[in-house]
C-alpha cells in the first residue's frame, strides 16, 4: 500500500498578482513547501497538477460569472500557468495538466506530462503547445487514476488551490475512485464566501480533514 500527496493548481495565476488570484494563494505555496520538507518521508509519491488551457471554450469569458466561466487564466505556456516560485518542486514525482480544451476542475481529468516537460511551462517556438506539453496522442495519455493505481496508491492527501473548486472536485473524485482521502485544510486557499459549504460537501462525500 502506498500513499500520495496531490498538490492542486498552485500556479501564478491563482496567487496574488495573477489573473484569477485567490487570497492566500502565495502563502499556501510556501506552506506546502514547508510541509513537504517536514513530511515528505510520509509519502511514497507526490503529484502536482496545472490548469493548462489552450482553447477551453466557454470556460473563458469576457463577462465571467465566476462560477462556470472565468477570466482568462493559466494559458498553456505562459507565466500564469507556471507553478508559483514559492512551491518547492524537489519532491514532486509527476505533473498532470488539465483543461486543455474544456473546463477541468478535478486532478483526475489531468494527463501526465512527459518527464522532460518543464513545470514552469515554457512554450516551444512555433505557437501552440505540442506533445511535450502533455497534449500528445490520446493513446499515450496517462491519467492520474491510472498513475496512482500503477504505483499501488490507496490513500491520498490533497492540498492546493482552490478549496471550493479544484481541491473539492479532486477530493470527491478520489473518493469515488476508491481512495482514502484527506484534505489538509490549512494547506488550501478558497475563492468564495461559501467555503464551509464546500467543506461540508466534501465531508458528506467521505473526505477526511486534517
Amino acid at each position: 500500500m502506498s500513499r500520495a500527496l496531490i498538490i492542486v493548481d498552485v500556479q501564478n495565476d491563482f496567487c496574488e498578482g495573477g489573473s484569477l488570484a485567490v487570497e492566500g494563494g502565495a502563502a499556501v505555496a510556501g506552506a506546502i513547501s514547508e510541509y513537504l520538507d517536514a513530511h515528505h518521508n510520509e509519502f511514497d509519491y507526490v503529484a502536482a497538477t496545472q490548469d493548462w488551457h489552450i482553447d477551453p471554450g466557454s470556460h473563458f469569458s469576457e463577462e465571467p460569472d465566476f462560477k462556470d466561466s472565468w477570466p482568462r487564466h493559466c494559458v498553456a505556456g505562459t507565466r500564469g500557468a507556471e507553478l508559483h516560485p514559492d512551491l518547492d518542486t524537489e519532491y514532486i514525482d509527476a505533473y498532470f495538466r488539465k483543461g486543455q480544451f474544456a473546463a477541468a476542475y478535478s486532478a483526475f481529468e489531468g494527463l501526465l506530462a512527459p518527464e522532460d516537460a518543464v513545470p514552469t511551462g515554457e512554450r516551444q517556438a512555433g505557437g501552440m503547445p505540442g506533445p511535450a506539453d502533455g497534449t500528445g496522442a490520446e493513446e499515450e495519455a496517462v491519467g492520474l487514476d491510472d498513475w496512482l493505481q500503477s504505483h499501488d496508491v490507496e490513500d491520498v492527501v490533497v492540498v492546493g488551490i482552490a478549496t471550493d473548486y479544484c481541491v473539492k472536485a479532486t477530493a470527491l473524485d478520489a473518493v469515488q475512485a476508491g481512495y482514502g482521502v484527506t484534505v489538509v485544510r490549512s494547506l488550501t486557499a478558497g475563492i468564495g464566501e461559501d467555503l464551509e459549504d464546500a467543506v461540508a460537501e466534501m465531508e458528506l462525500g467521505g473526505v477526511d480533514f486534517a
Side-chain angles (χ1 to χ4, degrees):
M1 182 184 87
S2 297
R3 189 168 184 248
L5 178 70
I6 302 173
I7 304 170
V8 178
D9 296 1
V10 181
Q11 297 169 262
N12 286 327
D13 269 349
F14 294 140
C15 296
E16 287 81 354
S19 65
L20 192 53
V22 178
E23 183 178 354
V28 161
I32 291 172
S33 296
E34 293 177 3
Y35 177 82
L36 268 173
D37 280 340
H39 299 279
H40 64 89
N41 59 345
E42 298 174 16
F43 298 97
D44 300 286
Y45 302 98
V46 179
T49 71
Q50 291 172 278
D51 252 11
W52 197 251
H53 296 310
I54 296 172
D55 182 10
S58 61
H59 187 59
F60 284 173
S61 175
E62 296 296 325
E63 298 180 353
D65 62 15
F66 293 93
K67 182 179 179 181
D68 298 311
S69 60
W70 307 87
R72 287 175 63 86
H73 62 275
C74 297
V75 174
T78 66
R79 183 184 179 279
E82 295 177 9
L83 297 175
H84 192 275
D86 289 347
L87 178 65
D88 187 351
T89 61
E90 176 183 358
Y91 301 107
I92 298 175
D93 299 298
Y95 299 90
F96 291 83
R97 291 169 172 172
K98 58 187 177 66
Q100 285 93 334
F101 299 104
Y105 295 96
S106 170
F108 285 84
E109 297 174 80
L111 300 177
L112 179 66
E115 290 184 6
D116 60 352
V118 288
T120 51
E122 294 176 3
R123 180 175 295 184
Q124 297 177 343
M128 298 306 292
D133 299 280
T135 59
E138 185 175 347
E139 61 269 22
E140 298 174 356
V142 176
L144 178 60
D145 189 34
D146 293 331
W147 186 83
L148 293 172
Q149 289 191 42
S150 72
H151 291 91
D152 297 320
V153 172
E154 293 189 7
D155 294 298
V156 299
V157 174
V158 182
V159 299
I161 306 171
T163 316
D164 40 344
Y165 286 90
C166 294
V167 169
K168 181 180 77 170
T170 298
L172 291 174
D173 276 0
V175 171
Q176 289 298 312
Y179 299 96
V181 184
T182 301
V183 170
V184 183
R185 179 79 184 271
S186 63
L187 299 181
T188 69
I191 295 174
E193 300 176 355
D194 300 321
L195 289 179
E196 294 308 317
D197 289 344
V199 169
E201 183 179 347
M202 284 187 271
E203 289 179 331
L204 187 62
V207 176
D208 293 324
F209 280 83

